[in-house]
Amino acid sequence: MTRPFFDYWASRLRFLDVHYHARPDSYQRRYSAMEAGERYAQFQGGVVLKNHLGSVSALASEMQERGLPVFGSVVLNAAAGGINLNVVRQALSQYQFDGAPRLLVHLPTVVPTAHKSGLSRTFSNEYARHFAGQPLSITDDKGELRSGVKTLIHFARHHDIVLSSGHATKDQTLRLIEAVERVGGCRLMLNQPANPMTGFAARELRALGEHEWLFVEQCALTVYLGYQPLDDLYEVLTGVHNLVYSSDLGQPGQPDIGEWLEDSHRWFREARLDAARIDEITRLNPLRMLAPGLLQG
């Protein structure tokens, strides 16, 4: 990995939350991007903003100009232009600050699904509501990965991005993992795999093996919403390789950042994590995943 990025942020952050929602977004959020960055800075943490409407790379660049530990991502929903390489290129073009990490590129989060979210949400405006009715899938009618996804995987081999599985089914996620492994040279994060749309239990995540390119996200929101039992959470926290612990918060009706941190450390105690494991999943793994350059074995 490129050491300057890793060393700089490792010496300044106590943790890095790779999944937080701030305004402006498709739904109402607790904080603006600046307010969120200020709150994370108060807790000596960093944050990767995620936005269902598309890219927050320009916002992240602006927050960095203000000295805030905010990083960017792009979600390839219809609002942003869908699964399109130019959407990623445009987001990268606005990622303009010294020591920028890899851009987190989420495959679509507005997808065809029978799952009904347990969240109580209010659309930001009618345009956001319009785009929420345009689902996209990473697979075709035959269940094969779409060509645009395959193009992204090859693009990721030579550019500083990390692919994220989006809101995919278990079968789609397994196909994506197979494709990334086959091509090689691409980092992949499994986005909130305990969510009912994907449905991975801890034992299934462990069965995926230990690959340096594959990262697994554990969101607090899946626990808050009752999607994931505590015993499965504890098994994930203790036994899953390359685990990246995040919040997936920002919703006005869900816990604030400070409450999430308190709850998280209670869960860590109940799971009997030692200090080294806590640091690994909350700081070191997120930084290692986003560090530019090659992964160390």
Side-chain angles (χ1 to χ4, degrees):
M1 69 180 71
T2 301
R3 295 303 307 183
F5 164 82
F6 186 91
D7 292 341
Y8 178 85
W9 288 109
S11 67
R12 285 162 173 77
L13 299 179
R14 294 177 58 193
F15 67 96
L16 175 59
D17 183 0
V18 301
H19 191 159
Y20 190 82
H21 298 279
R23 300 190 307 268
D25 198 355
S26 52
Y27 302 103
Q28 293 182 1
R29 303 302 186 191
R30 183 186 296 272
Y31 295 125
S32 68
M34 183 181 298
E35 291 168 338
E38 290 171 343
R39 289 289 287 163
Y40 275 89
Q42 289 171 7
F43 289 106
Q44 296 179 272
V47 61
V48 180
L49 298 181
K50 182 176 180 181
N51 191 309
H52 295 296
L53 295 176
S55 172
V56 288
S57 56
L59 267 177
S61 297
E62 175 63 21
M63 295 304 102
Q64 288 279 339
E65 291 282 346
R66 297 171 184 266
L68 296 174
V70 176
F71 305 116
S73 69
V74 59
V75 182
L76 302 181
N77 284 330
I83 305 171
N84 186 319
L85 199 56
N86 279 338
V87 176
V88 178
R89 289 194 179 103
Q90 193 269 349
L92 286 168
S93 74
Q94 294 183 322
Y95 215 28
Q96 299 178 12
F97 56 92
D98 292 337
R102 288 178 180 254
L103 185 72
L104 196 53
V105 178
H106 296 280
L107 293 169
T109 59
V110 178
V111 298
T113 179
H115 170 67
K116 301 298 182 184
S117 174
L119 289 167
S120 177
R121 299 183 292 192
T122 303
F123 286 105
S124 300
N125 57 34
E126 289 305 309
Y127 298 100
R129 184 189 299 275
H130 167 76
F131 282 115
Q134 297 187 19
L136 298 175
S137 176
I138 66 172
T139 54
D140 60 23
D141 293 339
K142 297 179 180 179
E144 301 295 329
L145 287 181
R146 295 188 182 278
S147 61
V149 177
K150 296 176 183 178
T151 299
L152 277 172
I153 294 171
H154 285 277
F155 181 83
R157 296 182 65 201
H158 305 291
H159 298 269
D160 281 334
I161 68 173
V162 178
L163 290 183
S164 168
S165 59
H167 293 180
T169 67
K170 185 180 296 184
D171 180 69
Q172 289 174 328
T173 302
L174 291 173
R175 288 179 181 271
L176 182 63
I177 292 171
E178 291 170 359
V180 170
E181 185 172 22
R182 185 165 54 250
V183 171
C186 170
R187 299 181 199 183
L188 173 66
M189 184 183 82
L190 303 190
N191 178 271
Q192 51 181 310
N195 185 285
M197 283 183 282
T198 309
F200 277 97
R203 66 182 184 281
E204 294 173 302
L205 293 172
R206 293 200 317 273
L208 295 175
E210 297 187 359
H211 308 284
E212 288 308 298
W213 51 268
L214 181 63
F215 293 82
V216 177
E217 181 190 22
Q218 171 61 59
C219 293
L221 185 62
T222 57
V223 179
Y224 284 130
L225 293 177
Y227 294 156
Q228 183 180 19
L230 286 175
D231 59 348
D232 188 79
L233 168 68
Y234 299 155
E235 191 174 348
V236 171
L237 292 176
T238 57
V240 172
H241 182 66
N242 273 357
L243 188 69
V244 175
Y245 183 75
S246 71
S247 72
D248 191 9
L249 295 176
Q251 307 85 357
Q254 293 299 318
D256 203 347
I257 299 164
E259 184 180 352
W260 163 63
L261 291 172
E262 292 178 1
D263 289 340
S264 297
H265 283 283
R266 184 180 75 254
W267 294 332
F268 297 161
R269 288 194 303 271
E270 292 171 352
R272 299 183 179 181
L273 303 188
D274 60 22
R277 177 62 173 175
I278 294 172
D279 189 45
E280 179 184 24
I281 66 177
T282 62
R283 183 176 68 102
L284 296 180
N285 282 349
L287 286 171
R288 191 163 60 88
M289 179 178 73
L290 296 178
L294 298 175
L295 279 171
Q296 293 180 334

